[in-house]
Amino acid sequence: MTTPTTVRYGELIPCKTAFIDAHTPGSDQKENFTIIGGGVSEAADQHVHINEPHGFNIGAAGQPPRCRNSLHSHRTAEVFFVLSGRWRFFWGRWGDAGEVLLEQGDIINIPTGIFRGFENVGTDYGMIMAILGGDDAGGGVIWAPQVIEDARDHGLVLGENGKLYDTKKGQTLPEGVKPMPVLTDDELGAFEELTPMQVVGWGVRRYNDMAALAKDRACKVIGESGIIRDKPGFDVDLLTRSSAREEMHQHDRPSVLMPVRGHWRVNWPGGSEVIAPGDTMSVPADLPHNALPSMTGEAALYHVVATDDPAGPSMR
């Protein structure tokens, strides 16, 4: 019988050149982490902690105060929850169509088909955890044109093959590889300018509200019957101390546990392990297990498992 695999917060390996804005002032101090799956990194040296396909990708972004991730879009779901710090998420062609501030435990399911970015507006280094739909995470990142242009001014060129080349290090595009073209005006016209109600009302849920809903059973956060109604190819639940159960259960596919508050002991036949906020545990398919708080105090964790729904556009 296989056992769970845990990636510890303190053992995460960052990549500081994962994306095209890695040299752009204001974005040049961010760290990207690929925990499960191939992710969407454009850097050849991005470390992947768990390669096994899950039907979705798990990643993270760590940033010091006032560091931002530039405007981009994805073809599949991009879900974030705040592990630490205070974060501003913004969206629109120029990032001014709307914004929302999120804090520890809050979650946002950002609709596909819009440009979005995020910034640490807290006073300390902060971390957000990400769930990206599909094993290939939608095939990569679609950047707003100004991001590609700004990056070129600071020495980074993105090839049409989706890989980065650093001219400051003497790198050049390989023979036969052209620069990634910027979106045309017609292509940009397909990207929506959603209102705050369309983004926040549909896809943002606050931790304290979800914890209240998880009093007797896990709160279905994202799913066909979730408080965020979407079918991104995975379901997300929030489990709390009061909704945790000793009875073991299992899934017919791998599932992922990510604590956001407190310490949790995960038990399975013949073994157990304690996980804490920032840790990510992959539980193998068909392994009976439970998760119970291992200490007193507040306790909550996010649970992610793939569904049979194809990864694709948001269900709005």
Side-chain angles (χ1 to χ4, degrees), residues 24-78:
T24 304
S27 300
D28 54 351
Q29 292 181 295
K30 63 180 181 176
E31 297 179 320
N32 183 74
F33 305 88
T34 298
I35 301 172
I36 295 176
V40 291
S41 174
E42 295 160 348
D45 59 350
Q46 174 74 64
H47 180 80
V48 180
H49 287 270
I50 299 175
N51 283 289
E52 179 188 359
H54 283 57
F56 52 86
N57 282 246
I58 299 290
Q63 298 174 195
R66 297 301 170 185
C67 181
R68 68 169 53 193
N69 186 288
S70 302
L71 288 167
H72 65 282
S73 186
H74 294 282
R75 299 174 182 86
T76 62
E78 184 174 41

Side-chain angles (χ1 to χ4, degrees), residues 178-193:
K178 298 178 181 179
M180 181 71 72
V182 298
L183 296 172
T184 66
D185 288 342
D186 286 344
E187 290 170 331
L188 286 169
F191 288 82
E192 298 181 80
E193 294 286 281

